[in-house]
Amino acid sequence: MLREIGDWLMRNQRAIRATQWIVVVAYLALLVAPTLLPLPSRTAHLWTNLTLFAQFVFWGLWWPFVLLSTVLVGRMWCGLLCPEGAITEAVSQHSRGLAIPRWMRWKGWPFVAFAATTIYGQMISVYQYPKPALVILGFSTVAAIATALLWGRNKRVWCRFLCPVTGVFAVLAKLAPLHFRVDSQAWDSWRKPHPRGPAQLVNCAPLVPIRTMKGGSACHMCGRCSGYRGAVTLARRSPNHEIVHVAGSDPRPMETMLILFGLLGIAAAAFHWSGSAIYVEVKQTLAEWLVDHGVMWPLETVAPWWILTNYPDLNDVMTLLDGAVLLGYILVMAIGAGGAVAACVALSTRLLGRWSSARFHHLVQSLIPLAACGVFLGLSMTTVSLLRNDGIVFSLIGPLRAAMLIGAGVWSLWLGWQIAGLYGSAARRVVALLPLIVAVAASGAVWARLFWSL
Ligand code: SF4
C-alpha cells in the first residue's frame, strides 16, 4: 500500500506542482492583503475579518500543524505543499547555476537562522500584526528566490541549507513512522531493462544523496525517487529507529545546539516572556534605577515597528528598555534551560563510560519528542486563544496538553534508555538514566509552566 502511494507521488508530479501553485497564490494573498487593510477592531471575528483570518491560518493552523505533520509523515509539507520550496525550485530553473559556496554549507545556519527569526519575531510581535509577518515571511521568500537565482539549477538550495526552519523540520522528521527506504543491494545490482535505453534519472531537489540515505531528516518526501533503480520505496519504520540506530553514527553538534538551546531554550523563552512575572519585575527594577539616576531615554525612546513593536493606537509599544529586557530574558533563559539540560545529558554520557562527545550528541537526540511537543503546544496556544476569542472553547485542552507533555517526556526517556543500551552495561544504563530523568523533568516543567502556574 505505502509502496503504491510512493509510486503515485512519483507519477503525479505535475498535479503536485499545480497544487503547490494554488498554495503559493493563497500564501501570497494572505501575506500581503492584510497589510493593506486597517488593523482589526476588538469586535472583529476571524471569519469576518481577513487580517484575523490570515493570522489564524499562518500562526494558528499552518505553523503548529506543519510541525505536527512532520512528526507524523516526515517532511511531506516541504516536498508537496511548501510555497517557498515551490517558488525557489521554479526560479532555480533560470538560475546562474553557480556551485554552492563553502560558507553556505556551514552546518550552523539552521540554528542561527532559527534563533534569529524567533527572537526578531518576538521583538516585532510577528504573531499579532500583519506587517511583521510580511517582513519575516516575505524576507525569507525573497532570500529563497535570490538563492535560487544564483546557486544550483532545478534545486532547492535555500531549503537544504538556509531556510530558518529546515533544521527544526530535519530534527522532527526523525520521529516520523514513514520514510523512503533505500535498498543499497538492489540499487547496486539494478540493470537497465533495455541496455541501450535511456538512463533513468531522478532530480532530488533538496540534494539528498539518495543511494546512501539512511534517515528522513533531509528528505522532502516528494516521491520523485520512488521505485528508482528498483531500490527506493515508501515504507513504515519504528518512530524510534532513526534516533536510536542512525543518529549515533552521524553526530551533529549544531543539531545538538538546535535541540538544547534552540527548541528547549529560545523557543520556550519566546513563549514565556510575555506572561512572565520575572520579566515584569526586572523591567520595573531597571526602570526605577534609571529614573533614580535621571537616565530617561531608554524609557522614552521607541523604534520603528520593524525593529520593536510600535502600535500606539492599540497601546502596544515597546521602549528600548522593553526590547533590551526582552532580549536579555530570552538569552538568559535559553542559556539557563539549555545549559541545565546539557549538563544532565553530559553526566549521563559520563556515567555510561569514558567521555565521548559522539555519545553526548546521540543522547541529546533522545530529547527530540519533548522538544517537538513543547514547541507544538506553545504554537498551538495561538490557535486556542484565537478560537477562544471567537467563542470556541476546548474544555479538554488542559488534560490534553498534560497528556501530550507526559507522553513526550516518557517517549524521550524510552529513547534515552535505548540509546544508553548501545553504550553501557545494564548497571551503567540504569545509573545513566537518572540525570536524563532530571533533564526531562526540568525541561517538561519549563513547558508546563507556560500553561499552569507551578
Ligand atoms: S530523496 Fe529526494 S527525490 Fe527522493 S523523496 Fe526524498 S526529496 Fe524526493
Side-chain angles (χ1 to χ4, degrees):
M1 176 65 178
L2 286 174
R3 177 192 292 262
E4 276 96 62
I5 293 174
D7 292 348
W8 185 90
L9 290 174
M10 188 264 295
R11 285 194 308 272
N12 288 279
Q13 288 295 313
R14 284 176 71 133
I16 291 169
R17 254 188 287 280
T19 313
Q20 285 171 341
W21 285 111
I22 295 171
V23 179
V24 168
V25 172
Y27 165 73
L28 293 177
L30 290 176
L31 195 58
V32 177
T35 63
L36 308 173
L37 300 171
L39 288 172
S41 68
R42 291 196 188 281
T43 55
H45 294 285
L46 61 90
W47 53 84
T48 56
N49 183 284
L50 183 64
T51 304
L52 283 181
F53 178 72
Q55 189 186 5
F56 181 67
V57 170
F58 278 128
W59 311 120
L61 292 179
W62 173 60
W63 198 197
F65 288 97
V66 165
L67 289 190
L68 185 63
S69 81
T70 307
V71 172
L72 297 176
V73 292
R75 300 178 67 170
M76 279 199 179
W77 165 263
C78 300
L80 305 183
L81 293 171
C82 176
E84 222 164 69
I87 293 172
T88 199
E89 193 177 341
V91 172
S92 162
Q93 291 171 12
H94 312 286
S95 172
R96 288 181 63 192
L98 301 177
I100 298 163
R102 262 187 66 184
W103 64 262
M104 195 184 286
R105 292 180 183 274
W106 180 53
K107 295 205 166 32
W109 286 125
F111 170 67
V112 171
F114 174 76
T117 313
T118 305
I119 294 171
Y120 181 50
Q122 294 306 304
M123 288 167 60
I124 61 174
S125 300
V126 68
Y127 299 149
Q128 279 82 40
Y129 300 107
K131 282 186 188 167
L134 178 64
V135 167
I136 288 191
L137 297 176
F139 173 80
S140 174
T141 304
V142 170
I145 292 171
T147 307
L149 283 171
L150 290 174
W151 295 288
R153 186 160 293 135
N154 295 322
K155 297 289 181 243
R156 295 181 171 206
V157 174
W158 168 262
C159 308
R160 175 66 196 266
F161 297 107
L162 298 177
C163 169
V165 282
T166 191
V168 178
F169 290 163
V171 162
L172 266 55
K174 295 183 185 199
L175 300 172
L178 291 182
H179 73 144
F180 276 94
R181 186 178 56 210
V182 182
D183 180 339
S184 47
Q185 275 190 346
W187 181 292
D188 292 340
S189 57
W190 183 83
R191 296 287 172 268
K192 279 198 284 184
H194 306 290
R196 295 194 180 178
Q200 195 184 3
L201 293 174
V202 62
N203 172 30
C204 177
L207 301 146
V208 181
I210 304 174
R211 158 79 176 70
T212 53
M213 179 168 71
K214 294 265 186 301
S217 262
C219 171
H220 284 200
M221 303 289 277
C222 69
R224 287 178 209 174
C225 62
S226 187
Y228 185 61
R229 295 178 73 109
V232 187
T233 332
L234 182 62
R236 243 172 353 108
R237 63 176 182 176
S238 159
N240 302 332
H241 175 80
E242 186 166 347
I243 289 177
V244 177
H245 299 292
V246 178
S249 57
D250 182 17
R252 298 180 185 176
M254 292 315 291
E255 208 167 87
T256 294
M257 289 286 289
L258 181 65
I259 296 167
L260 292 177
F261 297 99
L263 296 172
L264 295 175
I266 290 171
F271 292 120
H272 266 275
W273 72 269
S274 60
S276 162
I278 297 173
Y279 171 78
V280 175
E281 227 168 88
V282 171
K283 216 170 63 171
Q284 274 174 355
T285 309
L286 283 175
E288 281 166 18
W289 188 89
L290 288 168
V291 170
D292 288 348
H293 290 78
V295 185
M296 298 306 288
W297 61 266
L299 296 126
E300 291 166 351
T301 314
V302 292
W305 62 264
W306 43 272
I307 297 179
L308 281 176
T309 305
N310 190 348
Y311 301 88
D313 294 348
L314 298 173
N315 225 0
D316 191 6
V317 177
M318 272 191 185
T319 62
L320 286 191
L321 176 68
D322 295 331
V325 178
L326 163 65
L327 277 179
Y329 182 92
I330 292 181
L331 293 178
V332 168
M333 183 171 162
I335 293 169
V341 174
C344 291
V345 179
L347 185 55
S348 286
T349 306
R350 185 66 186 83
L351 289 170
L352 280 167
R354 288 171 64 120
W355 173 257
S356 150
S357 57
R359 195 189 311 137
F360 170 75
H361 295 307
H362 197 183
L363 278 170
V364 168
Q365 298 270 320
S366 69
L367 299 165
I368 292 176
L370 187 60
C373 179
V375 175
F376 171 75
L377 290 179
L379 289 168
S380 63
M381 277 165 50
T382 307
T383 323
V384 173
S385 71
L386 283 172
L387 289 174
R388 192 177 43 224
N389 291 347
D390 275 317
I392 302 170
V393 178
F394 298 99
S395 53
L396 289 178
I397 194 71
L400 191 61
R401 281 171 173 157
M404 286 181 76
L405 261 185
I406 292 169
V410 171
W411 188 359
S412 280
L413 287 176
W414 176 239
L415 286 170
W417 172 252
Q418 293 201 47
I419 293 170
L422 302 175
Y423 296 104
S425 63
R428 280 183 180 270
R429 193 181 181 189
V430 171
V431 179
L433 196 66
L434 299 177
L436 215 54
I437 292 173
V438 175
V440 166
S443 215
V446 169
W447 288 109
R449 193 156 163 49
L450 201 55
F451 310 110
W452 303 281
S453 301
L454 298 174

